[in-house]
PDB file of all heavy atoms in Angstrom:
ATOM      1  N   VAL A   1      59.991  40.898 -11.518  1.00 97.00           N
ATOM      2  CA  VAL A   1      59.587  39.634 -12.141  1.00 97.00           C
ATOM      3  C   VAL A   1      59.050  39.914 -13.572  1.00 97.00           C
ATOM      4  O   VAL A   1      59.260  39.100 -14.494  1.00 97.00           O
ATOM      5  CB  VAL A   1      58.553  38.879 -11.310  1.00 97.00           C
ATOM      6  CG1 VAL A   1      57.901  37.760 -12.063  1.00 97.00           C
ATOM      7  CG2 VAL A   1      59.230  38.312 -10.034  1.00 97.00           C
ATOM      8  N   GLN A   2      58.369  41.026 -13.727  1.00 96.00           N
ATOM      9  CA  GLN A   2      57.768  41.347 -15.062  1.00 96.00           C
ATOM     10  C   GLN A   2      58.747  41.961 -16.060  1.00 96.00           C
ATOM     11  O   GLN A   2      58.490  41.925 -17.250  1.00 96.00           O
ATOM     12  CB  GLN A   2      56.592  42.290 -14.868  1.00 96.00           C
ATOM     13  CG  GLN A   2      55.403  41.625 -14.184  1.00 96.00           C
ATOM     14  CD  GLN A   2      54.273  42.602 -14.066  1.00 96.00           C
ATOM     15  OE1 GLN A   2      54.276  43.717 -14.487  1.00 96.00           O
ATOM     16  NE2 GLN A   2      53.203  42.122 -13.428  1.00 96.00           N
ATOM     17  N   LEU A   3      59.875  42.454 -15.610  1.00 95.00           N
ATOM     18  CA  LEU A   3      60.856  43.105 -16.458  1.00 95.00           C
ATOM     19  C   LEU A   3      61.343  42.240 -17.596  1.00 95.00           C
ATOM     20  O   LEU A   3      61.431  42.670 -18.751  1.00 95.00           O
ATOM     21  CB  LEU A   3      62.026  43.678 -15.692  1.00 95.00           C
ATOM     22  CG  LEU A   3      61.769  45.059 -15.084  1.00 95.00           C
ATOM     23  CD1 LEU A   3      63.067  45.472 -14.327  1.00 95.00           C
ATOM     24  CD2 LEU A   3      61.420  46.094 -16.110  1.00 95.00           C
ATOM     25  N   PRO A   4      61.664  40.984 -17.339  1.00 95.00           N
ATOM     26  CA  PRO A   4      62.133  40.149 -18.502  1.00 95.00           C
ATOM     27  C   PRO A   4      61.097  39.929 -19.556  1.00 95.00           C
ATOM     28  O   PRO A   4      61.411  39.647 -20.731  1.00 95.00           O
ATOM     29  CB  PRO A   4      62.503  38.797 -17.822  1.00 95.00           C
ATOM     30  CG  PRO A   4      62.681  39.093 -16.396  1.00 95.00           C
ATOM     31  CD  PRO A   4      61.825  40.253 -16.076  1.00 95.00           C
ATOM     32  N   PHE A   5      59.854  40.108 -19.233  1.00 93.00           N
ATOM     33  CA  PHE A   5      58.738  39.885 -20.177  1.00 93.00           C
ATOM     34  C   PHE A   5      58.198  41.219 -20.779  1.00 93.00           C
ATOM     35  O   PHE A   5      57.139  41.235 -21.317  1.00 93.00           O
ATOM     36  CB  PHE A   5      57.562  39.147 -19.519  1.00 93.00           C
ATOM     37  CG  PHE A   5      58.021  37.881 -18.902  1.00 93.00           C
ATOM     38  CD1 PHE A   5      58.235  37.717 -17.528  1.00 93.00           C
ATOM     39  CD2 PHE A   5      58.313  36.747 -19.667  1.00 93.00           C
ATOM     40  CE1 PHE A   5      58.647  36.544 -16.968  1.00 93.00           C
ATOM     41  CE2 PHE A   5      58.737  35.554 -19.118  1.00 93.00           C
ATOM     42  CZ  PHE A   5      58.917  35.453 -17.691  1.00 93.00           C
ATOM     43  N   TYR A   6      58.984  42.265 -20.668  1.00 94.00           N
ATOM     44  CA  TYR A   6      58.575  43.602 -21.099  1.00 94.00           C
ATOM     45  C   TYR A   6      58.152  43.580 -22.569  1.00 94.00           C
ATOM     46  O   TYR A   6      57.187  44.193 -22.971  1.00 94.00           O
ATOM     47  CB  TYR A   6      59.638  44.647 -20.847  1.00 94.00           C
ATOM     48  CG  TYR A   6      59.137  46.046 -21.130  1.00 94.00           C
ATOM     49  CD1 TYR A   6      58.417  46.731 -20.159  1.00 94.00           C
ATOM     50  CD2 TYR A   6      59.373  46.680 -22.350  1.00 94.00           C
ATOM     51  CE1 TYR A   6      57.975  48.007 -20.397  1.00 94.00           C
ATOM     52  CE2 TYR A   6      58.893  47.960 -22.596  1.00 94.00           C
ATOM     53  CZ  TYR A   6      58.165  48.602 -21.612  1.00 94.00           C
ATOM     54  OH  TYR A   6      57.702  49.874 -21.847  1.00 94.00           O
ATOM     55  N   GLY A   7      58.927  42.870 -23.412  1.00 94.00           N
ATOM     56  CA  GLY A   7      58.557  42.756 -24.817  1.00 94.00           C
ATOM     57  C   GLY A   7      57.207  42.168 -25.069  1.00 94.00           C
ATOM     58  O   GLY A   7      56.428  42.681 -25.921  1.00 94.00           O
ATOM     59  N   TRP A   8      56.899  41.122 -24.320  1.00 94.00           N
ATOM     60  CA  TRP A   8      55.584  40.502 -24.489  1.00 94.00           C
ATOM     61  C   TRP A   8      54.481  41.492 -24.086  1.00 94.00           C
ATOM     62  O   TRP A   8      53.443  41.582 -24.753  1.00 94.00           O
ATOM     63  CB  TRP A   8      55.522  39.263 -23.628  1.00 94.00           C
ATOM     64  CG  TRP A   8      54.204  38.525 -23.832  1.00 94.00           C
ATOM     65  CD1 TRP A   8      53.932  37.544 -24.739  1.00 94.00           C
ATOM     66  CD2 TRP A   8      52.999  38.676 -23.060  1.00 94.00           C
ATOM     67  NE1 TRP A   8      52.618  37.143 -24.626  1.00 94.00           N
ATOM     68  CE2 TRP A   8      52.019  37.804 -23.546  1.00 94.00           C
ATOM     69  CE3 TRP A   8      52.645  39.513 -22.010  1.00 94.00           C
ATOM     70  CZ2 TRP A   8      50.774  37.731 -23.055  1.00 94.00           C
ATOM     71  CZ3 TRP A   8      51.384  39.442 -21.493  1.00 94.00           C
ATOM     72  CH2 TRP A   8      50.422  38.584 -22.013  1.00 94.00           C
ATOM     73  N   TYR A   9      54.702  42.138 -22.956  1.00 93.00           N
ATOM     74  CA  TYR A   9      53.722  43.130 -22.506  1.00 93.00           C
ATOM     75  C   TYR A   9      53.504  44.266 -23.478  1.00 93.00           C
ATOM     76  O   TYR A   9      52.421  44.691 -23.781  1.00 93.00           O
ATOM     77  CB  TYR A   9      54.110  43.710 -21.153  1.00 93.00           C
ATOM     78  CG  TYR A   9      53.952  42.792 -19.935  1.00 93.00           C
ATOM     79  CD1 TYR A   9      55.059  42.339 -19.232  1.00 93.00           C
ATOM     80  CD2 TYR A   9      52.675  42.344 -19.584  1.00 93.00           C
ATOM     81  CE1 TYR A   9      54.887  41.492 -18.172  1.00 93.00           C
ATOM     82  CE2 TYR A   9      52.522  41.482 -18.507  1.00 93.00           C
ATOM     83  CZ  TYR A   9      53.626  41.057 -17.810  1.00 93.00           C
ATOM     84  OH  TYR A   9      53.443  40.242 -16.781  1.00 93.00           O
ATOM     85  N   GLU A  10      54.643  44.694 -24.112  1.00 94.00           N
ATOM     86  CA  GLU A  10      54.585  45.776 -25.091  1.00 94.00           C
ATOM     87  C   GLU A  10      53.815  45.298 -26.371  1.00 94.00           C
ATOM     88  O   GLU A  10      52.983  46.022 -26.899  1.00 94.00           O
ATOM     89  CB  GLU A  10      55.979  46.206 -25.460  1.00 94.00           C
ATOM     90  CG  GLU A  10      56.016  47.478 -26.300  1.00 94.00           C
ATOM     91  CD  GLU A  10      57.438  47.954 -26.482  1.00 94.00           C
ATOM     92  OE1 GLU A  10      58.334  47.135 -26.581  1.00 94.00           O
ATOM     93  OE2 GLU A  10      57.582  49.212 -26.469  1.00 94.00           O
ATOM     94  N   ASP A  11      54.094  44.023 -26.795  1.00 94.00           N
ATOM     95  CA  ASP A  11      53.391  43.511 -27.951  1.00 94.00           C
ATOM     96  C   ASP A  11      51.890  43.384 -27.788  1.00 94.00           C
ATOM     97  O   ASP A  11      51.127  43.563 -28.688  1.00 94.00           O
ATOM     98  CB  ASP A  11      53.960  42.136 -28.354  1.00 94.00           C
ATOM     99  CG  ASP A  11      55.399  42.166 -28.786  1.00 94.00           C
ATOM    100  OD1 ASP A  11      55.854  43.279 -29.216  1.00 94.00           O
ATOM    101  OD2 ASP A  11      56.069  41.127 -28.797  1.00 94.00           O
ATOM    102  N   HIS A  12      51.459  43.118 -26.553  1.00 94.00           N
ATOM    103  CA  HIS A  12      50.065  42.924 -26.280  1.00 94.00           C
ATOM    104  C   HIS A  12      49.404  44.147 -25.669  1.00 94.00           C
ATOM    105  O   HIS A  12      48.234  44.104 -25.237  1.00 94.00           O
ATOM    106  CB  HIS A  12      49.875  41.706 -25.353  1.00 94.00           C
ATOM    107  CG  HIS A  12      50.226  40.439 -26.024  1.00 94.00           C
ATOM    108  ND1 HIS A  12      51.530  39.944 -26.062  1.00 94.00           N
ATOM    109  CD2 HIS A  12      49.487  39.555 -26.748  1.00 94.00           C
ATOM    110  CE1 HIS A  12      51.542  38.795 -26.723  1.00 94.00           C
ATOM    111  NE2 HIS A  12      50.306  38.538 -27.172  1.00 94.00           N
ATOM    112  N   GLY A  13      50.150  45.255 -25.551  1.00 93.00           N
ATOM    113  CA  GLY A  13      49.549  46.474 -25.017  1.00 93.00           C
ATOM    114  C   GLY A  13      49.306  46.456 -23.536  1.00 93.00           C
ATOM    115  O   GLY A  13      48.345  47.147 -23.026  1.00 93.00           O
ATOM    116  N   HIS A  14      50.119  45.732 -22.811  1.00 93.00           N
ATOM    117  CA  HIS A  14      49.944  45.641 -21.351  1.00 93.00           C
ATOM    118  C   HIS A  14      51.127  46.194 -20.626  1.00 93.00           C
ATOM    119  O   HIS A  14      51.384  45.807 -19.424  1.00 93.00           O
ATOM    120  CB  HIS A  14      49.738  44.197 -20.910  1.00 93.00           C
ATOM    121  CG  HIS A  14      48.498  43.568 -21.464  1.00 93.00           C
ATOM    122  ND1 HIS A  14      47.245  44.068 -21.208  1.00 93.00           N
ATOM    123  CD2 HIS A  14      48.317  42.460 -22.193  1.00 93.00           C
ATOM    124  CE1 HIS A  14      46.347  43.311 -21.807  1.00 93.00           C
ATOM    125  NE2 HIS A  14      46.962  42.346 -22.472  1.00 93.00           N
ATOM    126  N   THR A  15      51.843  47.150 -21.129  1.00 94.00           N
ATOM    127  CA  THR A  15      52.987  47.666 -20.416  1.00 94.00           C
ATOM    128  C   THR A  15      52.600  48.423 -19.164  1.00 94.00           C
ATOM    129  O   THR A  15      53.441  48.597 -18.222  1.00 94.00           O
ATOM    130  CB  THR A  15      53.817  48.680 -21.318  1.00 94.00           C
ATOM    131  OG1 THR A  15      52.952  49.680 -21.823  1.00 94.00           O
ATOM    132  CG2 THR A  15      54.482  47.924 -22.457  1.00 94.00           C
ATOM    133  N   TRP A  16      51.385  48.826 -19.085  1.00 96.00           N
ATOM    134  CA  TRP A  16      50.879  49.529 -17.895  1.00 96.00           C
ATOM    135  C   TRP A  16      50.950  48.644 -16.662  1.00 96.00           C
ATOM    136  O   TRP A  16      51.047  49.095 -15.526  1.00 96.00           O
ATOM    137  CB  TRP A  16      49.518  50.121 -18.111  1.00 96.00           C
ATOM    138  CG  TRP A  16      48.421  49.101 -18.320  1.00 96.00           C
ATOM    139  CD1 TRP A  16      48.006  48.497 -19.502  1.00 96.00           C
ATOM    140  CD2 TRP A  16      47.582  48.440 -17.303  1.00 96.00           C
ATOM    141  NE1 TRP A  16      47.054  47.602 -19.305  1.00 96.00           N
ATOM    142  CE2 TRP A  16      46.755  47.556 -17.967  1.00 96.00           C
ATOM    143  CE3 TRP A  16      47.537  48.586 -15.956  1.00 96.00           C
ATOM    144  CZ2 TRP A  16      45.824  46.763 -17.274  1.00 96.00           C
ATOM    145  CZ3 TRP A  16      46.602  47.838 -15.261  1.00 96.00           C
ATOM    146  CH2 TRP A  16      45.769  46.924 -15.942  1.00 96.00           C
ATOM    147  N   TRP A  17      50.929  47.295 -16.851  1.00 95.00           N
ATOM    148  CA  TRP A  17      51.061  46.393 -15.744  1.00 95.00           C
ATOM    149  C   TRP A  17      52.421  46.577 -15.066  1.00 95.00           C
ATOM    150  O   TRP A  17      52.447  46.624 -13.775  1.00 95.00           O
ATOM    151  CB  TRP A  17      50.930  44.921 -16.192  1.00 95.00           C
ATOM    152  CG  TRP A  17      49.542  44.522 -16.577  1.00 95.00           C
ATOM    153  CD1 TRP A  17      48.434  45.304 -16.670  1.00 95.00           C
ATOM    154  CD2 TRP A  17      49.157  43.214 -16.923  1.00 95.00           C
ATOM    155  NE1 TRP A  17      47.360  44.549 -17.102  1.00 95.00           N
ATOM    156  CE2 TRP A  17      47.773  43.237 -17.257  1.00 95.00           C
ATOM    157  CE3 TRP A  17      49.786  41.998 -16.967  1.00 95.00           C
ATOM    158  CZ2 TRP A  17      47.036  42.105 -17.590  1.00 95.00           C
ATOM    159  CZ3 TRP A  17      49.096  40.873 -17.313  1.00 95.00           C
ATOM    160  CH2 TRP A  17      47.720  40.944 -17.661  1.00 95.00           C
ATOM    161  N   VAL A  18      53.497  46.684 -15.872  1.00 95.00           N
ATOM    162  CA  VAL A  18      54.804  46.837 -15.341  1.00 95.00           C
ATOM    163  C   VAL A  18      54.901  48.170 -14.600  1.00 95.00           C
ATOM    164  O   VAL A  18      55.419  48.223 -13.477  1.00 95.00           O
ATOM    165  CB  VAL A  18      55.865  46.764 -16.468  1.00 95.00           C
ATOM    166  CG1 VAL A  18      57.271  47.026 -15.946  1.00 95.00           C
ATOM    167  CG2 VAL A  18      55.770  45.404 -17.197  1.00 95.00           C
ATOM    168  N   TRP A  19      54.431  49.193 -15.223  1.00 96.00           N
ATOM    169  CA  TRP A  19      54.541  50.561 -14.590  1.00 96.00           C
ATOM    170  C   TRP A  19      53.698  50.721 -13.409  1.00 96.00           C
ATOM    171  O   TRP A  19      53.980  51.467 -12.486  1.00 96.00           O
ATOM    172  CB  TRP A  19      54.328  51.641 -15.660  1.00 96.00           C
ATOM    173  CG  TRP A  19      55.295  51.481 -16.791  1.00 96.00           C
ATOM    174  CD1 TRP A  19      55.005  51.267 -18.114  1.00 96.00           C
ATOM    175  CD2 TRP A  19      56.710  51.482 -16.676  1.00 96.00           C
ATOM    176  NE1 TRP A  19      56.137  51.140 -18.833  1.00 96.00           N
ATOM    177  CE2 TRP A  19      57.239  51.260 -17.972  1.00 96.00           C
ATOM    178  CE3 TRP A  19      57.602  51.614 -15.639  1.00 96.00           C
ATOM    179  CZ2 TRP A  19      58.569  51.217 -18.284  1.00 96.00           C
ATOM    180  CZ3 TRP A  19      58.964  51.540 -15.928  1.00 96.00           C
ATOM    181  CH2 TRP A  19      59.441  51.340 -17.207  1.00 96.00           C
ATOM    182  N   THR A  20      52.581  49.985 -13.366  1.00 97.00           N
ATOM    183  CA  THR A  20      51.712  50.018 -12.143  1.00 97.00           C
ATOM    184  C   THR A  20      52.493  49.432 -10.959  1.00 97.00           C
ATOM    185  O   THR A  20      52.407  49.966  -9.820  1.00 97.00           O
ATOM    186  CB  THR A  20      50.448  49.225 -12.351  1.00 97.00           C
ATOM    187  OG1 THR A  20      49.691  49.834 -13.473  1.00 97.00           O
ATOM    188  CG2 THR A  20      49.563  49.171 -11.149  1.00 97.00           C
ATOM    189  N   CYS A  21      53.208  48.331 -11.200  1.00 97.00           N
ATOM    190  CA  CYS A  21      54.015  47.721 -10.087  1.00 97.00           C
ATOM    191  C   CYS A  21      55.092  48.706  -9.615  1.00 97.00           C
ATOM    192  O   CYS A  21      55.350  48.802  -8.403  1.00 97.00           O
ATOM    193  CB  CYS A  21      54.610  46.396 -10.538  1.00 97.00           C
ATOM    194  SG  CYS A  21      53.402  45.155 -10.870  1.00 97.00           S
ATOM    195  N   LEU A  22      55.707  49.391 -10.545  1.00 97.00           N
ATOM    196  CA  LEU A  22      56.740  50.383 -10.147  1.00 97.00           C
ATOM    197  C   LEU A  22      56.155  51.507  -9.341  1.00 97.00           C
ATOM    198  O   LEU A  22      56.683  51.977  -8.344  1.00 97.00           O
ATOM    199  CB  LEU A  22      57.482  50.908 -11.350  1.00 97.00           C
ATOM    200  CG  LEU A  22      58.632  51.888 -11.063  1.00 97.00           C
ATOM    201  CD1 LEU A  22      59.694  51.165 -10.241  1.00 97.00           C
ATOM    202  CD2 LEU A  22      59.217  52.397 -12.388  1.00 97.00           C
ATOM    203  N   ALA A  23      54.971  52.011  -9.787  1.00 98.00           N
ATOM    204  CA  ALA A  23      54.297  53.054  -9.077  1.00 98.00           C
ATOM    205  C   ALA A  23      53.883  52.596  -7.669  1.00 98.00           C
ATOM    206  O   ALA A  23      53.966  53.314  -6.717  1.00 98.00           O
ATOM    207  CB  ALA A  23      53.057  53.563  -9.862  1.00 98.00           C
ATOM    208  N   GLY A  24      53.431  51.333  -7.580  1.00 97.00           N
ATOM    209  CA  GLY A  24      53.061  50.770  -6.260  1.00 97.00           C
ATOM    210  C   GLY A  24      54.254  50.748  -5.334  1.00 97.00           C
ATOM    211  O   GLY A  24      54.121  51.057  -4.134  1.00 97.00           O
TER     212      GLY A  24
END
């Protein structure tokens, strides 16, 4: 669900949210 918003996460410094879900 977060993959389409990767650009937004990257712009705001929150890419770790996406990678935390993958690690989980």
Side-chain angles (χ1 to χ4, degrees):
V1 167
Q2 290 180 4
L3 276 180
F5 305 103
Y6 188 82
W8 184 89
Y9 286 116
E10 190 173 36
D11 292 342
H12 292 87
H14 297 301
T15 55
W16 64 272
W17 288 7
V18 177
W19 302 120
T20 299
C21 293
L22 183 61

